[in-house]
Coordinates of all heavy atoms in Angstrom, one line a residue:
M1 N 21.0 -16.5 19.9 CA 19.6 -16.9 19.6 C 19.3 -16.3 18.3 O 19.4 -15.2 18.0 CB 18.7 -16.3 20.7 CG 17.3 -16.6 20.4 SD 16.2 -16.2 21.8 CE 16.2 -14.5 21.8
K2 N 18.8 -17.2 17.4 CA 18.4 -16.8 16.0 C 16.9 -16.6 16.0 O 16.1 -17.5 16.3 CB 18.8 -17.8 15.0 CG 18.7 -17.3 13.6 CD 19.4 -18.3 12.7 CE 19.4 -17.7 11.3 NZ 20.1 -18.6 10.4
K3 N 16.4 -15.4 15.7 CA 15.0 -15.1 15.7 C 14.5 -15.0 14.3 O 15.1 -14.3 13.4 CB 14.8 -13.8 16.4 CG 13.4 -13.6 16.9 CD 13.4 -12.4 17.8 CE 12.0 -12.5 18.5 NZ 11.9 -12.1 19.8
R4 N 13.4 -15.6 14.0 CA 12.8 -15.6 12.7 C 11.7 -14.5 12.7 O 10.6 -14.8 13.0 CB 12.2 -16.9 12.3 CG 13.2 -18.0 12.2 CD 12.5 -19.3 11.6 NE 13.6 -20.3 11.3 CZ 14.4 -20.3 10.3 NH1 14.3 -19.4 9.4 NH2 15.2 -21.3 10.2
A5 N 12.1 -13.3 12.4 CA 11.2 -12.1 12.5 C 11.5 -11.1 11.5 O 12.6 -11.1 11.0 CB 11.3 -11.5 13.9
W6 N 10.6 -10.3 11.2 CA 10.8 -9.1 10.4 C 11.4 -8.0 11.2 O 11.0 -7.8 12.4 CB 9.5 -8.6 9.8 CG 8.9 -9.4 8.7 CD1 8.0 -10.5 8.8 CD2 9.3 -9.4 7.3 NE1 7.8 -11.0 7.5 CE2 8.6 -10.3 6.6 CE3 10.2 -8.5 6.6 CZ2 8.7 -10.5 5.2 CZ3 10.3 -8.7 5.2 CH2 9.5 -9.7 4.6
I7 N 12.4 -7.3 10.7 CA 12.9 -6.1 11.3 C 12.3 -4.9 10.5 O 12.5 -4.8 9.3 CB 14.4 -6.0 11.3 CG1 15.0 -7.2 12.0 CG2 14.9 -4.7 11.9 CD1 16.5 -7.3 11.9
V8 N 11.4 -4.1 11.2 CA 10.7 -3.1 10.4 C 11.1 -1.7 11.0 O 10.9 -1.5 12.3 CB 9.2 -3.3 10.5 CG1 8.4 -2.1 9.9 CG2 8.7 -4.6 9.9
F9 N 11.6 -0.8 10.2 CA 11.9 0.6 10.6 C 10.7 1.4 10.2 O 10.3 1.4 9.0 CB 13.2 1.0 9.9 CG 14.4 0.2 10.2 CD1 14.7 -0.9 9.4 CD2 15.2 0.5 11.3 CE1 15.9 -1.7 9.7 CE2 16.2 -0.3 11.6 CZ 16.6 -1.4 10.8
F10 N 10.2 2.1 11.1 CA 9.0 2.9 10.9 C 9.2 4.4 11.3 O 9.8 4.6 12.4 CB 7.8 2.3 11.7 CG 6.5 3.0 11.4 CD1 5.7 2.6 10.3 CD2 6.0 3.9 12.3 CE1 4.5 3.2 10.1 CE2 4.8 4.5 12.1 CZ 4.0 4.2 11.0
D11 N 8.7 5.3 10.5 CA 8.9 6.7 10.8 C 7.8 7.5 10.0 O 7.3 7.0 9.0 CB 10.2 7.2 10.4 CG 10.6 8.5 11.2 OD1 9.8 8.9 12.1 OD2 11.6 9.1 10.9
E12 N 7.5 8.6 10.5 CA 6.5 9.5 9.9 C 7.1 10.9 9.8 O 8.0 11.3 10.5 CB 5.2 9.6 10.6 CG 5.2 10.1 12.0 CD 5.1 11.6 12.0 OE1 4.5 12.2 11.1 OE2 5.6 12.2 13.0
S13 N 6.6 11.7 8.8 CA 7.2 13.0 8.6 C 6.1 13.9 8.0 O 5.2 13.4 7.3 CB 8.4 13.0 7.7 OG 8.9 14.3 7.5
G14 N 6.2 15.2 8.2 CA 5.3 16.1 7.5 C 6.0 16.9 6.5 O 7.2 17.3 6.7
V15 N 5.3 17.2 5.4 CA 5.9 18.0 4.4 C 5.0 19.1 3.9 O 3.8 19.0 4.1 CB 6.3 17.1 3.1 CG1 7.4 16.1 3.4 CG2 5.1 16.4 2.6
S16 N 5.5 20.2 3.5 CA 4.7 21.3 3.0 C 4.9 21.3 1.4 O 5.9 21.1 0.9 CB 5.3 22.6 3.5 OG 4.5 23.7 2.9
L17 N 3.7 21.3 0.8 CA 3.7 21.3 -0.7 C 3.8 22.8 -1.3 O 3.9 22.9 -2.5 CB 2.5 20.6 -1.2 CG 2.4 19.2 -0.8 CD1 1.1 18.6 -1.2 CD2 3.5 18.4 -1.3
L18 N 3.9 23.7 -0.4 CA 4.1 25.1 -0.9 C 5.5 25.4 -1.2 O 6.4 24.8 -0.5 CB 3.5 26.1 0.1 CG 2.0 26.0 0.4 CD1 1.7 27.0 1.5 CD2 1.2 26.3 -0.8
P19 N 5.8 26.2 -2.2 CA 7.2 26.5 -2.5 C 7.9 27.3 -1.4 O 7.3 28.0 -0.7 CB 7.1 27.3 -3.8 CG 5.7 27.7 -3.9 CD 4.9 26.8 -3.1
Q20 N 9.2 27.0 -1.3 CA 9.9 27.8 -0.3 C 10.2 29.2 -0.7 O 10.4 29.5 -1.9 CB 11.3 27.1 -0.1 CG 11.2 25.7 0.5 CD 10.8 25.7 1.9 OE1 11.1 26.6 2.7 NE2 9.9 24.8 2.3
V21 N 10.2 30.2 0.2 CA 10.4 31.5 -0.1 C 11.9 31.8 0.1 O 12.4 31.5 1.2 CB 9.5 32.5 0.7 CG1 9.8 33.9 0.5 CG2 8.1 32.2 0.4
R22 N 12.6 32.3 -0.9 CA 14.0 32.6 -0.8 C 14.2 34.1 -1.2 O 13.4 34.7 -1.9 CB 14.8 31.7 -1.7 CG 14.7 30.3 -1.3 CD 15.5 30.0 0.0 NE 15.4 28.6 0.3 CZ 15.1 28.1 1.4 NH1 14.7 29.0 2.4 NH2 15.1 26.8 1.7
R23 N 15.4 34.6 -0.8 CA 15.7 36.0 -1.2 C 16.3 35.9 -2.7 O 16.8 34.9 -3.1 CB 16.8 36.5 -0.3 CG 16.4 36.8 1.1 CD 17.5 37.3 1.9 NE 17.0 37.6 3.2 CZ 17.1 38.7 3.8 NH1 17.7 39.8 3.2 NH2 16.7 38.9 5.0
T24 N 16.1 37.0 -3.4 CA 16.5 37.0 -4.7 C 16.9 38.5 -5.0 O 16.7 39.4 -4.3 CB 15.5 36.6 -5.7 OG1 16.0 36.5 -7.0 CG2 14.2 37.4 -5.7
C25 N 17.6 38.7 -6.2 CA 18.0 40.0 -6.6 C 16.8 40.7 -7.3 O 16.1 40.0 -8.1 CB 19.2 39.9 -7.5 SG 20.6 39.3 -6.6
A26 N 16.6 41.9 -7.1 CA 15.5 42.7 -7.8 C 15.9 44.2 -7.8 O 16.7 44.6 -6.9 CB 14.2 42.5 -7.2
P27 N 15.4 44.9 -8.7 CA 15.7 46.4 -8.6 C 15.2 47.0 -7.3 O 14.2 46.5 -6.8 CB 14.9 47.0 -9.8 CG 14.7 45.8 -10.7 CD 14.6 44.6 -9.8
R28 N 15.9 48.0 -6.8 CA 15.5 48.6 -5.5 C 14.1 49.1 -5.5 O 13.6 49.7 -6.5 CB 16.4 49.7 -5.2 CG 16.2 50.3 -3.8 CD 17.2 51.4 -3.6 NE 18.5 50.9 -3.5 CZ 19.2 50.8 -2.4 NH1 18.8 51.4 -1.3 NH2 20.4 50.4 -2.3
G29 N 13.3 48.7 -4.5 CA 11.9 49.2 -4.4 C 10.9 48.3 -5.1 O 9.7 48.5 -5.0
R30 N 11.4 47.2 -5.8 CA 10.4 46.3 -6.4 C 10.7 44.9 -5.9 O 11.5 44.1 -6.3 CB 10.7 46.3 -8.0 CG 10.4 47.6 -8.6 CD 10.5 47.4 -10.1 NE 10.3 48.7 -10.7 CZ 10.3 48.9 -12.0 NH1 10.5 47.9 -12.8 NH2 10.1 50.1 -12.5
T31 N 9.9 44.6 -4.8 CA 10.0 43.3 -4.2 C 9.4 42.2 -5.1 O 8.3 42.3 -5.6 CB 9.3 43.3 -2.9 OG1 9.8 44.3 -2.0 CG2 9.4 41.9 -2.2
P32 N 10.2 41.1 -5.4 CA 9.7 40.1 -6.3 C 8.6 39.3 -5.6 O 8.6 39.1 -4.4 CB 10.8 39.2 -6.6 CG 11.9 39.5 -5.5 CD 11.5 40.9 -5.1
A33 N 7.5 38.9 -6.3 CA 6.4 38.2 -5.8 C 6.5 36.8 -6.3 O 6.6 36.5 -7.5 CB 5.1 38.9 -6.2
L34 N 6.3 35.8 -5.4 CA 6.3 34.4 -5.7 C 4.8 34.0 -5.8 O 4.1 34.1 -4.8 CB 7.1 33.6 -4.7 CG 7.1 32.1 -4.9 CD1 7.9 31.8 -6.2 CD2 7.8 31.4 -3.7
R35 N 4.3 33.5 -6.9 CA 2.9 33.2 -7.1 C 2.9 31.6 -7.3 O 3.7 31.0 -7.9 CB 2.3 33.9 -8.2 CG 2.3 35.3 -8.2 CD 1.3 36.0 -9.1 NE 1.5 37.4 -9.3 CZ 1.6 38.4 -8.5 NH1 1.7 38.1 -7.2 NH2 1.7 39.6 -8.8
H36 N 1.9 31.0 -6.6 CA 1.7 29.6 -6.8 C 0.2 29.3 -6.8 O -0.6 30.1 -6.3 CB 2.4 28.8 -5.7 CG 2.0 29.3 -4.3 ND1 0.9 28.8 -3.7 CD2 2.6 30.1 -3.5 CE1 0.8 29.3 -2.5 NE2 1.8 30.1 -2.3
R37 N -0.3 28.2 -7.3 CA -1.6 27.9 -7.3 C -1.9 26.6 -6.5 O -2.8 25.8 -6.8 CB -2.1 27.7 -8.8 CG -1.9 28.9 -9.6 CD -2.3 28.7 -11.0 NE -2.0 29.9 -11.7 CZ -2.7 30.5 -12.6 NH1 -3.9 29.9 -12.9 NH2 -2.4 31.6 -13.2
L38 N -1.2 26.3 -5.6 CA -1.4 25.2 -4.7 C -2.3 25.5 -3.5 O -2.2 26.6 -2.9 CB -0.1 24.7 -4.1 CG 1.0 24.3 -5.2 CD1 2.3 24.0 -4.5 CD2 0.5 23.1 -6.0
N39 N -3.2 24.6 -3.2 CA -4.1 24.9 -2.1 C -4.0 23.8 -1.0 O -4.7 23.9 0.0 CB -5.6 25.0 -2.5 CG -6.1 23.8 -3.3 OD1 -5.4 22.8 -3.3 ND2 -7.3 23.8 -3.8
W40 N -3.2 22.8 -1.2 CA -3.0 21.8 -0.2 C -1.7 22.1 0.6 O -0.6 22.0 0.1 CB -2.9 20.4 -0.9 CG -2.9 19.2 0.0 CD1 -3.3 19.2 1.3 CD2 -2.4 17.9 -0.3 NE1 -3.2 18.0 1.8 CE2 -2.6 17.1 0.8 CE3 -1.8 17.3 -1.4 CZ2 -2.3 15.8 0.9 CZ3 -1.5 16.0 -1.4 CH2 -1.8 15.2 -0.2
K41 N -1.9 22.6 1.8 CA -0.8 23.2 2.5 C 0.2 22.3 3.1 O 1.3 22.5 3.2 CB -1.4 24.2 3.5 CG -2.1 25.3 2.8 CD -2.3 26.5 3.7 CE -3.0 27.7 3.2 NZ -3.5 27.7 1.8
R42 N -0.4 21.2 3.7 CA 0.6 20.2 4.4 C 0.1 18.8 4.1 O -1.1 18.5 3.9 CB 0.5 20.4 5.9 CG 1.0 21.8 6.3 CD 1.7 21.9 7.6 NE 2.5 20.8 8.1 CZ 3.8 20.6 7.9 NH1 4.5 21.5 7.2 NH2 4.4 19.6 8.5
A43 N 1.1 17.9 4.1 CA 0.8 16.5 3.9 C 1.6 15.7 4.9 O 2.7 16.2 5.3 CB 1.2 16.1 2.4
G44 N 1.2 14.6 5.2 CA 1.9 13.7 6.1 C 2.2 12.4 5.4 O 1.5 11.9 4.6
M45 N 3.4 11.8 5.7 CA 3.8 10.5 5.2 C 4.3 9.7 6.3 O 5.2 10.1 7.0 CB 4.8 10.7 4.0 CG 5.2 9.4 3.4 SD 6.3 9.7 2.1 CE 7.5 8.4 2.4
A46 N 3.9 8.4 6.3 CA 4.4 7.4 7.2 C 4.9 6.3 6.4 O 4.3 5.9 5.4 CB 3.3 6.9 8.2
A47 N 6.1 5.7 6.7 CA 6.7 4.7 5.9 C 7.3 3.6 6.8 O 7.8 3.9 7.9 CB 7.8 5.3 5.0
A48 N 7.3 2.4 6.3 CA 7.9 1.2 7.0 C 8.7 0.5 6.0 O 8.3 0.2 4.9 CB 6.8 0.3 7.5
L49 N 10.0 0.2 6.4 CA 10.9 -0.5 5.6 C 11.2 -1.8 6.4 O 11.7 -1.7 7.5 CB 12.2 0.3 5.3 CG 13.2 -0.4 4.5 CD1 12.7 -0.7 3.1 CD2 14.5 0.5 4.4
G50 N 10.9 -3.0 5.8 CA 11.1 -4.2 6.5 C 12.1 -5.2 5.8 O 12.1 -5.2 4.6
Y51 N 12.8 -5.9 6.6 CA 13.8 -6.9 6.2 C 13.5 -8.1 7.0 O 13.3 -8.0 8.2 CB 15.2 -6.5 6.4 CG 15.7 -5.3 5.7 CD1 15.6 -4.0 6.2 CD2 16.2 -5.4 4.4 CE1 16.0 -2.9 5.5 CE2 16.6 -4.3 3.7 CZ 16.5 -3.1 4.3 OH 16.9 -2.0 3.6
H52 N 13.5 -9.3 6.4 CA 13.3 -10.6 7.2 C 14.7 -11.0 7.7 O 15.6 -11.1 6.9 CB 12.7 -11.6 6.3 CG 12.1 -12.7 7.1 ND1 12.9 -13.8 7.6 CD2 10.9 -12.9 7.7 CE1 12.1 -14.6 8.3 NE2 10.9 -14.1 8.4
A53 N 14.8 -11.2 8.9 CA 16.1 -11.4 9.6 C 16.7 -12.8 9.2 O 17.9 -12.9 9.1 CB 16.0 -11.3 11.1
A54 N 15.9 -13.8 9.0 CA 16.4 -15.1 8.8 C 16.3 -15.5 7.3 O 17.1 -16.4 6.9 CB 15.6 -16.2 9.6
D55 N 15.6 -14.9 6.5 CA 15.4 -15.3 5.1 C 15.6 -14.0 4.2 O 14.7 -13.4 3.8 CB 13.9 -15.8 4.9 CG 13.8 -16.5 3.5 OD1 14.8 -16.5 2.7 OD2 12.7 -17.0 3.2
L56 N 16.8 -13.8 3.8 CA 17.2 -12.6 3.0 C 16.7 -12.7 1.6 O 16.7 -11.7 0.9 CB 18.7 -12.4 3.1 CG 19.3 -12.1 4.5 CD1 20.8 -12.0 4.4 CD2 18.7 -10.9 5.0
E57 N 16.4 -13.9 1.1 CA 15.9 -14.1 -0.2 C 14.5 -13.4 -0.4 O 14.1 -13.2 -1.5 CB 15.8 -15.6 -0.6 CG 17.1 -16.2 -0.7 CD 17.1 -17.7 -1.1 OE1 16.0 -18.1 -1.4 OE2 18.2 -18.3 -1.1
R58 N 13.8 -13.2 0.6 CA 12.5 -12.5 0.5 C 12.6 -11.1 0.0 O 11.7 -10.5 -0.5 CB 11.7 -12.5 1.9 CG 11.3 -13.9 2.3 CD 10.5 -13.7 3.6 NE 10.2 -15.0 4.1 CZ 9.3 -15.2 5.0 NH1 8.6 -14.2 5.5 NH2 9.0 -16.4 5.5
G59 N 13.8 -10.5 0.3 CA 14.0 -9.1 -0.1 C 13.3 -8.1 0.8 O 12.5 -8.4 1.6
P60 N 13.7 -6.8 0.7 CA 13.1 -5.8 1.5 C 11.7 -5.5 1.1 O 11.3 -5.7 -0.1 CB 14.0 -4.6 1.3 CG 14.6 -4.8 0.0 CD 14.7 -6.3 -0.2
R61 N 10.9 -4.9 2.0 CA 9.5 -4.5 1.7 C 9.4 -3.1 2.1 O 9.7 -2.7 3.3 CB 8.5 -5.4 2.4 CG 8.5 -6.8 1.8 CD 7.4 -7.6 2.4 NE 7.4 -9.0 1.9 CZ 6.6 -9.9 2.2 NH1 5.7 -9.7 3.1 NH2 6.7 -11.1 1.7
L62 N 8.8 -2.3 1.3 CA 8.5 -0.9 1.6 C 7.0 -0.6 1.6 O 6.3 -1.0 0.7 CB 9.2 0.1 0.6 CG 8.9 1.5 0.7 CD1 9.5 2.1 2.1 CD2 9.5 2.3 -0.4
C63 N 6.5 0.0 2.6 CA 5.1 0.3 2.7 C 5.0 1.8 3.2 O 5.7 2.2 4.1 CB 4.4 -0.6 3.7 SG 2.8 -0.1 4.2
F64 N 4.2 2.6 2.5 CA 4.1 4.0 2.9 C 2.6 4.5 2.8 O 1.8 3.9 2.0 CB 5.0 5.0 2.2 CG 4.8 5.1 0.7 CD1 4.0 6.2 0.3 CD2 5.3 4.2 -0.2 CE1 3.7 6.3 -1.1 CE2 5.1 4.4 -1.6 CZ 4.3 5.4 -2.0
H65 N 2.3 5.5 3.5 CA 0.9 6.0 3.6 C 1.0 7.5 3.5 O 1.8 8.2 4.2 CB 0.3 5.5 4.9 CG -1.1 6.0 5.0 ND1 -1.5 7.1 5.7 CD2 -2.3 5.4 4.6 CE1 -2.8 7.2 5.7 NE2 -3.3 6.2 5.0
L66 N 0.2 8.2 2.7 CA 0.1 9.6 2.6 C -1.2 10.1 3.0 O -2.3 9.4 2.8 CB 0.3 10.0 1.1 CG 1.7 9.7 0.5 CD1 1.6 10.0 -1.0 CD2 2.8 10.6 1.1
K67 N -1.3 11.3 3.6 CA -2.6 11.9 4.0 C -2.5 13.4 4.1 O -1.4 13.9 4.4 CB -3.1 11.2 5.3 CG -2.4 11.7 6.6 CD -3.1 11.2 7.8 CE -4.0 12.2 8.3 NZ -4.7 12.1 9.5
P68 N -3.5 14.1 3.9 CA -3.5 15.5 4.0 C -3.4 15.9 5.5 O -4.0 15.1 6.4 CB -4.8 16.0 3.5 CG -5.5 14.9 2.8 CD -4.8 13.6 3.3
G69 N -2.7 16.9 5.9 CA -2.6 17.2 7.3 C -1.5 16.5 8.0 O -0.6 15.9 7.4
G70 N -1.6 16.3 9.3 CA -0.6 15.6 10.1 C -1.2 14.3 10.6 O -2.4 14.0 10.6
Y71 N -0.3 13.5 11.3 CA -0.7 12.3 11.9 C -0.9 12.5 13.4 O -0.3 13.3 14.1 CB 0.4 11.2 11.8 CG 0.4 10.6 10.4 CD1 1.3 11.1 9.4 CD2 -0.5 9.6 10.1 CE1 1.3 10.5 8.1 CE2 -0.4 9.0 8.8 CZ 0.5 9.5 7.8 OH 0.5 9.0 6.6
D72 N -1.8 11.8 14.0 CA -2.0 11.7 15.4 C -1.9 10.2 15.8 O -1.7 9.4 15.0 CB -3.4 12.3 15.9 CG -4.6 11.6 15.2 OD1 -4.4 10.7 14.5 OD2 -5.7 12.1 15.5
T73 N -2.0 10.0 17.1 CA -1.8 8.6 17.5 C -2.8 7.6 16.9 O -2.4 6.5 16.5 CB -2.0 8.5 19.1 OG1 -1.1 9.4 19.7 CG2 -1.8 7.1 19.6
T74 N -4.0 8.0 16.7 CA -5.0 7.1 16.1 C -4.7 6.7 14.7 O -4.8 5.6 14.3 CB -6.4 7.7 16.2 OG1 -6.7 8.0 17.6 CG2 -7.5 6.8 15.7
S75 N -4.3 7.7 13.9 CA -4.0 7.5 12.5 C -2.8 6.7 12.3 O -2.6 5.9 11.4 CB -4.0 8.8 11.7 OG -3.0 9.7 12.2
L76 N -1.8 6.9 13.2 CA -0.5 6.1 13.1 C -0.8 4.6 13.5 O -0.3 3.7 12.9 CB 0.5 6.6 14.1 CG 1.2 7.9 13.5 CD1 2.2 8.5 14.6 CD2 1.9 7.6 12.2
I77 N -1.7 4.3 14.4 CA -2.1 3.0 14.7 C -2.8 2.3 13.5 O -2.5 1.1 13.2 CB -3.0 2.9 15.9 CG1 -2.2 3.3 17.2 CG2 -3.7 1.5 16.1 CD1 -3.0 3.5 18.4
E78 N -3.6 3.1 12.8 CA -4.2 2.5 11.6 C -3.2 2.2 10.5 O -3.3 1.2 9.8 CB -5.2 3.6 11.0 CG -6.4 3.8 11.9 CD -7.4 4.9 11.3 OE1 -7.1 5.5 10.3 OE2 -8.3 5.3 12.1
V79 N -2.2 3.1 10.4 CA -1.1 2.8 9.4 C -0.3 1.5 9.8 O 0.0 0.6 9.0 CB -0.1 3.9 9.3 CG1 1.1 3.6 8.4 CG2 -0.8 5.2 8.7
L80 N -0.1 1.3 11.1 CA 0.6 0.1 11.6 C -0.3 -1.1 11.3 O 0.3 -2.3 11.1 CB 0.9 0.2 13.0 CG 2.1 1.2 13.3 CD1 2.3 1.3 14.9 CD2 3.4 0.6 12.7
E81 N -1.6 -1.0 11.4 CA -2.5 -2.1 11.0 C -2.3 -2.6 9.6 O -2.3 -3.7 9.2 CB -3.9 -1.8 11.3 CG -4.3 -1.6 12.7 CD -4.2 -3.0 13.5 OE1 -4.5 -4.1 12.9 OE2 -3.9 -3.0 14.7
H82 N -2.1 -1.6 8.7 CA -1.8 -1.9 7.3 C -0.5 -2.5 7.1 O -0.3 -3.4 6.3 CB -1.9 -0.6 6.4 CG -3.3 -0.1 6.3 ND1 -4.3 -0.7 5.7 CD2 -3.8 1.1 6.7 CE1 -5.4 0.0 5.7 NE2 -5.1 1.1 6.4
V83 N 0.5 -2.1 7.9 CA 1.9 -2.7 7.8 C 1.9 -4.1 8.3 O 2.5 -4.9 7.7 CB 2.9 -1.8 8.7 CG1 4.2 -2.5 8.8 CG2 3.0 -0.4 8.1
K84 N 1.0 -4.4 9.2 CA 0.9 -5.8 9.7 C 0.6 -6.8 8.6 O 1.0 -7.9 8.6 CB -0.2 -5.8 10.8 CG -0.3 -7.1 11.5 CD -1.1 -7.0 12.8 CE -2.6 -7.0 12.4 NZ -3.5 -7.1 13.6
T85 N -0.3 -6.4 7.6 CA -0.7 -7.3 6.5 C 0.5 -7.7 5.7 O 0.6 -8.7 5.1 CB -1.7 -6.6 5.6 OG1 -1.2 -5.4 5.1 CG2 -3.0 -6.3 6.5
F86 N 1.6 -6.8 5.6 CA 2.7 -7.2 4.8 C 3.6 -8.2 5.5 O 4.4 -8.9 4.8 CB 3.6 -5.9 4.6 CG 3.1 -5.0 3.5 CD1 2.3 -3.9 3.9 CD2 3.3 -5.2 2.2 CE1 1.8 -3.1 2.9 CE2 2.8 -4.4 1.2 CZ 2.0 -3.3 1.6
C87 N 3.5 -8.4 6.8 CA 4.3 -9.4 7.5 C 3.6 -10.7 7.6 O 4.2 -11.7 8.1 CB 4.6 -8.8 8.9 SG 5.6 -7.3 8.8
A88 N 2.3 -10.8 7.2 CA 1.6 -12.1 7.1 C 1.6 -12.9 8.4 O 1.8 -14.1 8.4 CB 2.1 -12.9 5.9
G89 N 1.4 -12.2 9.5 CA 1.2 -12.9 10.8 C 2.5 -13.4 11.4 O 2.5 -14.1 12.4
E90 N 3.7 -13.1 10.9 CA 5.0 -13.5 11.4 C 5.4 -12.5 12.5 O 4.8 -11.4 12.6 CB 6.0 -13.5 10.3 CG 5.7 -14.6 9.2 CD 6.8 -14.7 8.2 OE1 7.8 -15.1 8.6 OE2 6.6 -14.3 7.1
S91 N 6.4 -12.9 13.2 CA 6.9 -11.9 14.3 C 7.5 -10.7 13.7 O 8.1 -10.8 12.6 CB 7.9 -12.7 15.1 OG 7.3 -13.8 15.8
V92 N 7.4 -9.6 14.4 CA 8.0 -8.3 13.9 C 8.7 -7.7 15.1 O 8.3 -7.6 16.2 CB 6.9 -7.4 13.4 CG1 7.4 -6.0 13.1 CG2 6.1 -8.0 12.3
V93 N 9.9 -7.2 14.8 CA 10.7 -6.3 15.7 C 10.5 -4.9 15.1 O 11.0 -4.6 14.0 CB 12.1 -6.7 15.8 CG1 12.9 -5.7 16.7 CG2 12.2 -8.1 16.3
L94 N 9.8 -4.0 15.8 CA 9.5 -2.6 15.2 C 10.5 -1.7 15.8 O 10.7 -1.5 17.1 CB 8.1 -2.2 15.6 CG 7.7 -0.9 15.1 CD1 7.5 -0.9 13.6 CD2 6.3 -0.5 15.7
V95 N 11.2 -1.0 14.9 CA 12.2 0.1 15.4 C 11.6 1.4 15.0 O 11.3 1.7 13.8 CB 13.5 -0.1 14.6 CG1 14.5 1.0 15.0 CG2 14.1 -1.5 14.8
W96 N 11.3 2.2 16.0 CA 10.5 3.5 15.8 C 11.2 4.6 16.6 O 11.7 4.3 17.8 CB 9.1 3.2 16.4 CG 8.1 4.2 15.9 CD1 8.3 5.3 15.2 CD2 6.7 4.1 16.2 NE1 7.1 6.0 15.0 CE2 6.1 5.3 15.5 CE3 5.9 3.2 16.9 CZ2 4.7 5.5 15.6 CZ3 4.6 3.4 16.9 CH2 4.0 4.6 16.3
D97 N 11.2 5.8 16.1 CA 11.9 6.9 16.8 C 11.0 7.3 18.0 O 9.9 6.8 18.2 CB 12.1 8.1 15.9 CG 10.9 8.7 15.4 OD1 9.8 8.1 15.5 OD2 10.9 9.8 14.7
G98 N 11.4 8.2 18.8 CA 10.7 8.6 20.0 C 9.6 9.6 19.7 O 9.6 10.7 20.2
L99 N 8.6 9.2 18.8 CA 7.6 10.1 18.5 C 6.6 10.4 19.7 O 6.2 9.5 20.4 CB 6.7 9.4 17.3 CG 5.5 10.2 16.9 CD1 5.8 11.5 16.1 CD2 4.6 9.3 16.1
S100 N 6.3 11.7 19.8 CA 5.4 12.1 20.9 C 4.1 12.5 20.2 O 3.9 13.7 20.1 CB 6.0 13.1 21.8 OG 6.3 14.2 21.0
A101 N 3.4 11.6 19.6 CA 2.1 11.9 18.9 C 1.1 12.5 19.8 O 1.0 12.2 21.0 CB 1.6 10.7 18.1
R102 N 0.1 13.3 19.3 CA -1.0 13.8 20.0 C -2.1 12.8 20.1 O -2.4 12.1 19.3 CB -1.5 15.1 19.4 CG -0.4 16.1 19.4 CD -0.9 17.4 18.6 NE -0.1 17.4 17.3 CZ -0.6 17.1 16.1 NH1 -1.8 16.9 15.9 NH2 0.2 17.2 15.1

C-alpha cells in the first residue's frame, strides 16, 4: 500500500545556556573561578523534520521552536499546531519518542 503522507520526526530537548564547570590546574589553595554574565538559565527546543513519502522532489522540511524554560503538554500541542501548517492539510505520520510531559 502506497501512502501519500508526510513522515514527520518530532522531538524536544532542554539545554542550559550556562557554561559547563570543569576541573582545571591551578596553584594549590587558589581555586579558579568561572565568571559568566548569562541570566537565562534554561531553554527548550522542539523540532520537527518532515519528508514527503510519495513526492521526494518536495525536499525535507525543518521546523523548530525555542522557548525559555521547559515544555509541558500544552506548549508541545501548540508547537504541533504550528507544524501542521507546514503540511498544508495533507496526511501526516508522526514519529515521536516516548515523552512523558507534565
